[in-house]
């Protein structure tokens, strides 16, 4: 997890300038529909995540305008979403270990396959879902990574690693405001704010 911050994000954070030129209109709760955009992968966004996305977007907006009440309210709303049932934890953890080994060996496609299968085995494992998002970033699949990271944040909305990965994916897509907001939330939820 190195090199999270791109030069454009550094500049924004260093100068203390956070533009709020993009306003997010309140979004009605969508009807859950799976997304299967992944290149030759059998992975989809969860129905719970479809319900969570407006609240995650609200957290990003709250960070953008420094509105702690908006962040807290969205965090509370996320806590009221029913999470997916846990699956085969033993199989999922074994697949996660294999995916991490594939990442270490720089076999990104194998890592994505292992993490995808791990998520299918246990949709409620926030670490595996986050690792899938990271592997998709490594494969330059930034839009798909965002979906996986939204799944992670649905399961664990204060997971700073997921916010950092999300910030990086947004930066790579040129979505500067969302990237900076995600990095601000990374800082807010990190254990050590020094």
């Amino acid at each position: 997890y190195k090199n999270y911050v791109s030069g454009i994000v550094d500049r924004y954070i260093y100068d203390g300038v956070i533009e709020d030129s993009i306003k997010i209109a309140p979004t009605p709760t969508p009807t859950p529909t799976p997304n299967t955009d992944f290149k030759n992968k059998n992975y989809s966004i969860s129905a719970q995540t479809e319900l969570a996305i407006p609240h995650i977007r609200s957290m990003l907006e709250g960070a953008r305008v420094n509105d702690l009440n908006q962040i807290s309210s969205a965090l509370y709303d996320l806590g009221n979403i029913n999470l997916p049932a846990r699956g085969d934890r033993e199989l999922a953890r074994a697949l996660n270990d294999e995916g991490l080994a594939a990442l270490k060996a720089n076999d990104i496609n194998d890592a994505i396959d292992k993490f995808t299968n791990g998520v299918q085995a246990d949709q409620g494992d926030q670490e595996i879902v986050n690792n899938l998002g990271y592997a998709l970033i490594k494969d330059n699949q930034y839009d798909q990574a965002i979906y996986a990271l939204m799944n992670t944040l649905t399961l664990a909305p204060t997971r700073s690693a997921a916010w950092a990965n999300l910030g990086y994916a947004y930066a790579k897509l040129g979505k500067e405001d969302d990237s900076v907001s995600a990095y601000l939330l990374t800082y807010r939820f990190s254990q050590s704010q020094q």
Side-chain angles (χ1 to χ4, degrees):
Y1 296 100
K2 59 184 177 179
N3 299 324
Y4 277 122
V5 181
S6 73
I8 216 158
V9 176
D10 276 334
R11 188 185 77 236
Y12 271 74
I13 293 172
Y14 178 77
D15 292 340
V17 175
I18 301 172
E19 303 219 359
D20 59 356
S21 59
I22 297 175
K23 295 290 183 187
I24 300 171
T27 307
T29 303
T31 303
T33 54
N35 180 333
T36 54
D37 286 345
F38 291 76
K39 285 194 245 177
N40 302 318
K41 306 292 179 223
N42 187 20
Y43 178 80
S44 63
I45 197 165
S46 73
Q48 292 83 0
T49 299
E50 289 286 345
L51 297 173
I53 286 174
H55 305 296
I56 294 168
R57 300 286 313 151
S58 182
M59 289 178 74
L60 289 165
E61 174 65 17
R64 184 176 299 118
V65 298
N66 198 27
D67 185 340
L68 300 180
N69 289 329
Q70 183 173 352
I71 294 168
S72 295
S73 176
L75 193 56
Y76 176 81
D77 291 340
L78 283 169
N80 289 322
I81 293 175
N82 291 327
L83 299 179
R86 297 302 301 259
D88 186 341
R89 179 164 172 73
E90 187 175 323
L91 173 60
R93 298 310 299 171
L95 288 163
N96 185 61
D97 290 344
E98 291 174 22
L100 290 171
L103 271 181
K104 188 174 181 178
N106 207 29
D107 187 349
I108 305 304
N109 287 328
D110 188 43
I112 290 170
D113 288 339
K114 298 298 185 196
F115 293 137
T116 299
N117 291 335
V119 170
Q120 290 172 346
D122 185 359
Q123 294 181 33
D125 190 314
Q126 61 181 287
E127 181 183 350
I128 299 171
V129 182
N130 190 62
N131 288 343
L132 174 60
Y134 179 73
L136 289 164
I137 287 171
K138 298 286 281 178
D139 197 38
N140 301 318
Q141 295 186 56
Y142 304 114
D143 286 322
Q144 294 84 357
I146 288 170
Y147 289 127
L149 296 166
M150 292 284 185
N151 273 345
T152 305
L153 292 168
T154 300
L155 298 169
T158 62
R159 187 177 176 98
S160 60
W163 286 109
N165 288 335
L166 186 64
Y168 184 81
Y170 279 138
K172 294 303 271 185
L173 290 173
K175 297 180 179 184
E176 298 168 9
D177 289 339
D178 285 337
S179 177
V180 171
S181 296
Y183 281 119
L184 289 169
L185 290 165
T186 300
Y187 178 75
R188 168 169 286 302
F189 297 125
S190 68
Q191 297 296 321
S192 174
Q193 297 184 352
Q194 299 176 9

